[in-house]
Amino acid sequence: MTWSTRQLAELAGTTLKTVRHYHKLGLLEEPERAPSGYKRYDVRHLVRLMGIRRLTDLGVPLSDIPTVAAADARSKEILRVLDAELAANIERQQRMRRQLAAILEDGASLDLPADFGAAAATLPRPQQDLLVAYSSVLTPTAMSVIRDQYTRPRDEVAEEFEHLPADAPEDVRRRLAAHLAAEVRAQRADRSLITDLDAASRRNGKLTRSVVTQALITFYNEAQLGVLRHLHALLEQEKADGGADGDGRDGKGEQDHSGDPDPPRLTPGATG
């Protein structure tokens, strides 16, 4: 009892084209032919074809099937590599599902960096864009620090700064700067503020600073930038008076980029 190529393909749950392709690659030996010229497959071909199908379903590349089928020492290494790749793919897909759940269930923004969840979803669009820009130059660890800061409840000062109109008067800018200075000091005390931009960066320092600077100028309005300037001046004065640490500038007023702080929660790049 023998079968045609089409019958063999049907028994193995594959296609005629696939069987012919396996013949071409040398994975499936050619059967004997009937006097009429038609191929005659037997159960050995069926078992071989089923084995090839099994290995391809497991993700084994066609080029590695002869080695794996031979069950030699190298076959185990091929399977171990394949298992590691599958584990990495599963982790990636699980991470993608968590991100999708945050978007579908928590209302997280599609534009925010991964894992920020709903914590920053209510931020104004410019501040969300600022976070996206930071994610291009900061390490995952640094971004997780910023994310943790955004998961904390935002107070009235934070909300006011985030929604500050461009024409906010000078007294409002100074008042916000004074409040933010207290927060910067608190964050430095509990080490929840990134104080070394070079260490927090996954790019070269010059490129990182260019991204941070352009992001601040682009995504903050004039009033918010004015608050940051006042904040910087307050921190500089404290440093000059021997109080709380400044923002990494030396006593001559020149900026020392090696200590340039990364953004606190309310005012990314606050001392820039």
Side-chain angles (χ1 to χ4, degrees), residues 206-217:
K206 183 177 180 180
L207 180 60
T208 296
R209 292 185 191 92
S210 71
V211 170
V212 171
T213 301
Q214 289 193 41
L216 288 170
I217 294 172

Side-chain angles (χ1 to χ4, degrees), residues 83-204:
D83 182 63
E85 292 174 351
L86 290 173
N89 287 334
I90 290 172
E91 172 58 28
R92 180 180 64 84
Q93 291 171 348
Q94 289 176 337
R95 184 171 61 252
M96 292 169 63
R97 291 199 65 196
R98 290 193 296 269
Q99 294 172 17
L100 288 172
I103 294 168
L104 295 172
E105 300 172 12
D106 301 332
S109 172
L110 279 168
D111 298 319
L112 288 171
D115 300 327
F116 264 69
T122 58
L123 289 174
R125 179 57 184 266
Q127 295 218 10
Q128 293 187 16
D129 290 341
L130 194 71
L131 293 174
V132 174
Y134 284 158
S135 69
S136 71
V137 293
L138 299 184
T139 64
T141 300
M143 290 303 297
S144 69
V145 171
I146 298 175
R147 181 198 62 214
D148 291 344
Q149 292 170 346
Y150 275 93
T151 60
R152 303 172 184 173
R154 290 195 293 276
D155 58 20
E156 293 180 359
V157 175
E159 294 290 345
E160 187 175 2
F161 178 83
E162 290 160 5
H163 296 88
L164 190 66
D167 59 354
E170 186 68 16
D171 62 323
V172 172
R173 303 182 190 188
R174 291 183 180 277
R175 174 175 55 81
L176 289 176
H179 281 286
L180 295 178
E183 178 166 341
V184 169
R185 288 193 294 269
Q187 289 176 342
R188 283 175 174 166
D190 65 14
R191 300 185 179 276
S192 61
L193 176 68
I194 300 171
T195 57
D196 187 343
L197 188 57
D198 287 330
S201 174
R202 56 190 177 92
R203 312 289 185 188
N204 69 67

